[in-house]
Amino acid sequence: MFEQPVLKVEGLRKQFGDGCGHCNSLSVDALEKNYCTTCGTVYACQDLNFEVYKGEILGVVGESGSGKSTMMQCLYFDKEPTSGAVYIDSYKEGRANLFEESSQQKRYIKDMVLGKVYQNPIYGLRMNISAVGNIAEKLISSGVREVEPMKARAKELLEAVNIPTFRMGEAPKNFSGGMQQRVQIAKALSNNPPVLLLDEVTTGLDLSVQANVLDLIKEIQRDFGVSIIVVSHDLGVIRMLADRTIVMLNGKIIESGLTDQILEDPQHEYTQQLVNALL
Amino acid sequence: MKLQYNYAFFDEGSKREIRRATLKAVAIPGYQVPFASREMPIGRGWGTGGLQLTLSLIGNEDTLKVIDQGSDESVNAVNIKKLIVNTTGAPVTEETKEATLIQSRHRIPEEPLGSDQILVLQVPYPEPLRYIEPSEYVTKRLHGDKEYSGAWLMLFEQIMKHGKMATGADHAVFVHDRYLMAPSPIPRFDNPKMHDSEALILLGAGREKKIHAVPPFTKVESIAFDDYPFEVEQFTDKSCIKCGATHTFMDEIISGLKTVHQCNDSSHCLSRMNQEAV
Ligand SMILES: Nc1ncnc2c1ncn2[C@@H]1O[C@H](COP(=O)(O)OP(=O)(O)O)[C@@H](O)[C@H]1O
Ligand SMILES: [Mg+2]
Ligand SMILES: [Zn+2]
């Protein structure tokens, strides 16, 4: 059912540090952990390759430090990758490596082609600007110069994520954690991007609030037809949401497949541990 | 003229550096040019940016006018004048028409300025994006990329809250279709006077160490949404209690139980009264 890749990642690497004679001579698999014991360089993402298909939710699971957030930061240009490429089919017909675009083009891509939701809402929202204003900002960046249509669009989106009308003029600093995440989601959706990036968006929320946000993500996949990458250290979250899943360990993808398949028949020893811990 | 100081207070090297920054500012309308703001015998934040511009520009043929929020006689204006006169011997006027060099805080004179005049504005905060972005590194990048969403967002929030444009002063402008610029805390009423101005307008921020400029005949456009056009303060049905003017920027004065209005530009008001008397 998901034939058409919407987003394609090729050979994505991100290292923190310059490496040394020792680690530069090693092949990717020779590092035992994700860092060099001689010079301390961290190899946070090592040769990541995967695709996201139209309308699917791709889960990315792995323990803390496995490189999930670094990968998402590279995809949203929050960090510059060491090497690699990412293509999105709706941008320049999927022929341009987004990492090589100008800073202006990257800003355009962040406004029009991608939406990101952060675990910590202070990175995704302006806490002192009204919820409506937060959404308007994305519309303004995309070139809208009329107040009334922006207000209407913001209200429609905030309604879709169940923010009560009478609170829409308030600043998110007054909102609960779950509400802040919902405003972030509305903001990410404002320009109807084909791809959403969600990094640990339910981590740290109460279980009932978590369930509520997870339902919302499912609804959004259905109603907006958007493709979503969902990152979580919690296989329970991934099981709830993801059609397909990739498993990361020490900056590498060690297993990938349909989520059901991975849950039923995990191949890698690490994945087996994760699945066992879930039962 | 007191001779213990160099002409116009500064040494020639300092003046030259300020003039170089000024020339650059004129060449790139609306762009904030950094300069080595000098220590002055008045505190930063009291007009040192404007004063440095004035001192670097003033010459033997100049006639000086200094205004503080429309008044030639406020303590601040008087002290700035004293410093300039004591170190240059320049003649001073309150008549806008007679002045060649006008230093002003928070107003552009009502009298239209001509091509033989230079207006120097004192600027407390030269960065129009500062409220939304604290980092200078980032705001420089945003200007470079012409990415002004933050300024539009501030305006959007204002309209959300008040139902209309409500900037008190310092309403940001686009200069020459390129840079977003803080016009200094002049009322919105004065913004249109910058557009296509015959006079050169220079803006100096001493504390923030920036100079920017609007060269003569430059397009200056106040930021506004399509469905909420730019508006100046309205004084409909109001007239100045002294000179009877109806189209000037007016102060509200509470006198007894009554509220009356009076021209904020006192020298313009005075010259209107003198004309009537003739
Ligand atoms: N700025 C940084 N400098 C050095 N190392 C970093 C930096 N950011 C992340 N790392 C390291 O990169 C690895 C991956 O981190 P991260 O992507 O946050 O993992 P995850 O999101 O899967 O928990 C970790 O070992 C982390 O310590
Ligand atoms: Mg993380
Ligand atoms: Zn090394």
Side-chain angles (χ1 to χ4, degrees), chain A residues 16 34 42 44 63-70 79:
Chain A
F16 296 101
N34 68 343
V42 177
E63 65 188 13
S64 179
S66 58
K68 309 180 299 294
S69 292
T70 303
K79 284 197 175 127

Side-chain angles (χ1 to χ4, degrees), chain B residues 99-120:
Chain B
T100 57
L101 197 52
I102 302 169
Q103 177 171 338
S104 170
R105 172 172 175 266
H106 304 185
R107 275 312 306 278
I108 296 178
E110 302 288 1
E111 193 80 48
L113 301 178
S115 57
D116 51 352
Q117 296 179 300
I118 296 178
L119 175 67
V120 172

Side-chain angles (χ1 to χ4, degrees), chain A residues 19-20 22-23 36 38-41 43:
Chain A
C20 65
H22 172 66
C23 58
C36 168
T38 308
C39 70
T41 293
Y43 293 84

Side-chain angles (χ1 to χ4, degrees), chain B residues 127-272:
Chain B
E127 179 48 71
L129 299 171
R130 184 61 70 233
Y131 183 83
I132 205 95
E133 176 50 64
S135 152
E136 172 76 8
Y137 173 81
V138 175
T139 50
K140 272 195 92 89
R141 273 206 88 110
L142 293 174
H143 282 289
D145 287 350
K146 207 177 173 185
E147 165 52 53
Y148 293 129
S149 304
W152 290 100
L153 178 59
M154 294 320 301
L155 191 58
F156 179 89
E157 281 285 287
Q158 216 180 72
I159 292 169
M160 279 275 294
K161 269 203 197 95
H162 305 285
K164 59 173 196 221
M165 190 173 279
T167 326
D170 211 358
H171 186 96
V173 294
F174 286 106
V175 180
H176 198 48
D177 289 321
R178 178 57 186 88
Y179 287 100
L180 186 73
M181 183 187 92
S184 85
I186 55 174
R188 272 177 285 141
F189 188 87
D190 286 348
N191 275 22
K193 296 178 189 164
M194 291 194 146
H195 175 66
D196 238 2
S197 159
E198 283 186 33
L200 167 64
I201 303 172
L202 299 174
L203 302 99
R207 191 180 39 207
E208 304 287 324
K209 306 183 175 70
K210 294 283 175 57
I211 289 171
H212 47 286
V214 178
F217 303 108
T218 300
K219 180 174 172 191
V220 176
E221 200 181 3
S222 300
I223 185 171
F225 287 103
D226 296 348
D227 54 348
Y228 283 81
F230 177 76
E231 279 175 6
V232 301
E233 294 85 350
Q234 296 291 335
F235 300 95
T236 331
D237 308 332
K238 309 280 187 306
S239 61
C240 173
I241 186 163
K242 283 183 160 169
C243 76
T246 50
H247 298 289
T248 58
F249 187 79
M250 282 182 252
D251 293 329
E252 235 178 53
I253 294 171
I254 312 226
S255 98
L257 293 173
K258 271 200 330 220
T259 306
V260 296
H261 287 78
Q262 185 182 319
C263 288
N264 168 273
D265 183 339
S266 56
S267 91
H268 180 70
C269 188
L270 197 67
S271 75
R272 276 178 55 90

